[in-house]
Structures are given as structure tokens and as C-alpha cells.
Amino acid sequence: MKMHPYWLDSRPAFRGATPGDLPEKADVVVVGGGFCGLSTALAVAKRGGSVLLLEAGAVGEAASGRNGGQCNNGFAHDYGSVRAEIGAARAEALYRAYDDAVDTVERIVREEAIDCAFERRGKLKLAGSAAAFEKFRASAELLQCEADPECFLVEKADLGSEIGSDVFHGGLVYPKSAQVHVGRLAVGLAEAAVRHGADIREDAPVTGLTRLEGDRYRVTTPRGSVEAGQVVLATGTSQQGPLFHFRRRIVPIGSFVLATEPLSEALCARILPQRRSTTVARTIGNYFRFSPDNRLIFGGRARFAISNPTQDRKSGAVLHRQMLEYFPYLADTRIDYCWGGVIDATRDRHPRAGQHRGLYYAMGFSGHGVQMATHMGGVLARMLEGDSAANPFAAMDWPAIPGHFGPPWFLPLVGAYYTVKDRFAA
């Protein structure tokens, strides 16, 4: 079993990074080489600006290459709960921003001819109890009336058309959702950005941000410094660099994934006949789908811990048990890959984007970064030009999390709370 991501193991190498020292100046400096940073660099370059992207490691190898490969519309929350919290008009607008995000991924893939197995297979959200399915029913009624008329319920009696498991009590299908090979998408975005004139530097962690005036900053790395007309922070949960303001507002949560050996077409048809991206509606739930070569990609918040080799192995064992609870007939199936990653979660699980002390940012994607991080690249490019109305998260305040000053010491307590909550909700 390989202890690194299947997506990174099966993607082509990116060879477009520039070696050597940094240039003296750039119109825009983007910090972070995941989906958000890469799509920002691409969008700025296509507008004719000089853009320099600085990545601490290699592009697409952090959260963007360590997720489940789902590209879903809709947000993590129950639609009715969001509607009650922020009002019907804002809830609908926010929901449609996620529709736009999936559209953005599809458009970029098509325009830049990125070979990343993008497919609109839809998302299946599964109810683990009869009570959970009744909540689905109420949510579907609101969604169909206000935000997503294409979504539909699947009753328990009909669930065999969607999944080869008898442990669930019904489902809700979101047909607009998609899936993608995230490793190939990241490399394709990087290659497209370079092709349009962006300068990408790997192994260039930002160690200093010195404000000069207005939006202008001096950005320092071990490879030199550059004067930036504007700076975009697309760093997610990065623990490197002078990002204390943002770290206080983001909780890094471990997410862990398995990939099986390639399965037969018949077995795939038994597990997920429609080959949808699938989620289990629990706070500590699972998500799964097939890879382009018929591996079952099975993930979840198996443990409330930060990814490292020890936690990845422990979490992989938990995931394997969960997979067999749903699909006991996979007991003899080999596990080829096990890996972990980190989700940049906000307290309310809504992303944030805006400007702080002249620094533009988008982060806190809370498990929905494949689509929304990619989408926010184009939004950030418009924000740099003064179009603040482009930001779907502009009206959301973002206070610091009380007691959070660095490493998330409270994760075990949060995990215990949600474990109990899920148990009583079942």
C-alpha cells in the first residue's frame, strides 16, 4: 500500500516552473499554488497583467491534491438552516455561487483543453437514518422551489438504483455536481497559467510581507524578494509565513482517503450504478466515488487529527472498516493507496474572501475547495480590478476563533462532540 495520494501518483509532472531568483517587481504576486492560486494566476495573466505565483512546495501537492476529487454544487449545510440564518435571498445567491463554481471548472477545463476526466455525474447525498431522510425531504422542497429545481429525492425502496448497500434510508441527488482528477486539474491549471504568461516559482515559501503603501507590498522568500503592486493570499491552512491573522480564523482539519485496486465494471455497477460522487450526511461522514481507472476513492474525517504518517495509517484502518460496513462484499479487495490531507475549515464552514490591510485573500473552503477555490481565482482577478461586487462572500464577517492562536489544540474535543452528536442523530 502506498502512503501518498493516488491523484499525485497518476498525474503528469509539471515542468513549467521558473528557476532562479525572483524578479524585482510584479503587478500581482499570488501566494499559494493550489487551485485558488493557480486559477488566480491564470485569470490575471489572461487579463494581461504580470503575475508571479509563489508556492512553498510543488504546485497542487497540498490540499488540492489530497481530497476526494468531488466537484459539487451546493454547500455543506442544510439549505433551510442557511436560509433561516441569512435570509432567503442571500441563501439562494450563495447556493447559486456554488453552481457557478462547477460551471467555472468545466469552462476552464474546456477552454484550456485540460485532460482531467471532468464529468457531470451528479452527487448522491445519503441519509443514515429515517429522521435524516425526513430532513432531506424538507430540504428538497425548499431547494426545488428556490435554488435547485433539478435536485430530486430517492426513496429507500428505490435506493438500489443508486447504491449497492442496504444501510441507508434514502438519498438526495444533485445532478449539476461533477467529479474530476484533481492531480491532472492542478497541473493543467499551472500549465495554462504559464502558457498565458504567468511566472510560477516552486520551493519559494513566503517568509515576509512588508506593506509599502496602499496595496503595494514587498514579498520576501529564501529565493529573494519582489515588490508587488497587489498581493493575493491563496494559502489555505498553511502554517508557514506571516499569516497569523488568517490562522486565527481557520481550523485545519485532517481528512483521510483510501483508494482500492481497480475494480471490474460489474463490481463498479453494483457499488454505484450511476457512478455519482457520494456523501453520507453526518457531521463526521464519508465521501466516495470512482477514479477514472475504476478505483473506489473512499474518504472521510476518520479521526480529528492533523495528517501525518502515523495518523494516516490509523485513519486508513478506520476508513477501511467504514467502507466494509457499507460494502461488506469488498472484504477481499486490495487497498492500494492511503493518504491524508488538511481542510481549511472556518467556524461556520462558509468560505471567506476579501481584503485585509491591502492583502486580497480567498480561503476557508471547508471541504468544497475543488470547485469554489478554482472559481474564486476569477473572482479575485475581478476584485483586484476594483469589482468588489464579484465576491459572493463579501457580506460575511470573519471574527477570530476564541482561544485559537496556532495549532488546533481543541480538535480532539471537537471530534468527541461531533461523534456524540452523530450517534444521537442516528
Side-chain angles (χ1 to χ4, degrees), residues 63 68 71 111 118 135 177 195 197 245 306 314-315 323 365 406 416:
C71 182
E111 289 178 353
F118 178 93
K135 291 181 180 178
S177 293
R195 188 165 59 247
H245 171 84
I306 300 300
K314 291 181 178 179
S315 298
M323 185 183 79
F365 296 108

Side-chain angles (χ1 to χ4, degrees), residues 24 87 97 116-117 170-171 190 205 214 220 250 268 270 285 302 337 374 376 380 392:
E24 292 184 2
C116 61
T220 303
I250 289 177
C268 291
R270 182 181 179 185
Y337 293 88
T374 304
M376 288 304 296
L380 282 163

Side-chain angles (χ1 to χ4, degrees), residues 37 114 207 209 293:
I114 299 174
T207 57
L209 287 167
D293 60 348

Side-chain angles (χ1 to χ4, degrees), residues 67-128:
N67 53 72
Q70 299 194 15
C71 182
N72 296 329
N73 73 313
F75 29 66
H77 319 66
D78 171 71
Y79 182 77
S81 299
V82 176
R83 187 181 187 272
E85 179 185 354
I86 66 175
R90 286 182 61 197
E92 180 182 348
L94 193 60
Y95 190 96
R96 294 192 185 283
Y98 282 87
D99 288 352
D100 294 342
V102 181
D103 291 344
T104 293
V105 176
E106 184 175 35
R107 174 182 55 78
I108 293 174
V109 167
R110 182 180 64 250
E111 289 178 353
E112 302 300 333
I114 299 174
D115 179 14
C116 61
F118 178 93
E119 289 186 296
R120 291 218 189 223
R121 292 278 185 173
K123 179 182 76 172
L124 171 65
K125 186 176 182 180
L126 292 164

Side-chain angles (χ1 to χ4, degrees), residues 364-404:
F365 296 108
S366 303
H368 292 259
V370 174
Q371 64 278 12
M372 188 53 75
T374 304
H375 177 64
M376 288 304 296
V379 171
L380 282 163
R382 292 168 60 185
M383 289 167 60
L384 293 172
E385 296 173 345
D387 184 4
S388 59
N391 180 8
F393 308 108
M396 293 183 171
D397 62 349
W398 198 14
I401 298 170
H404 181 29

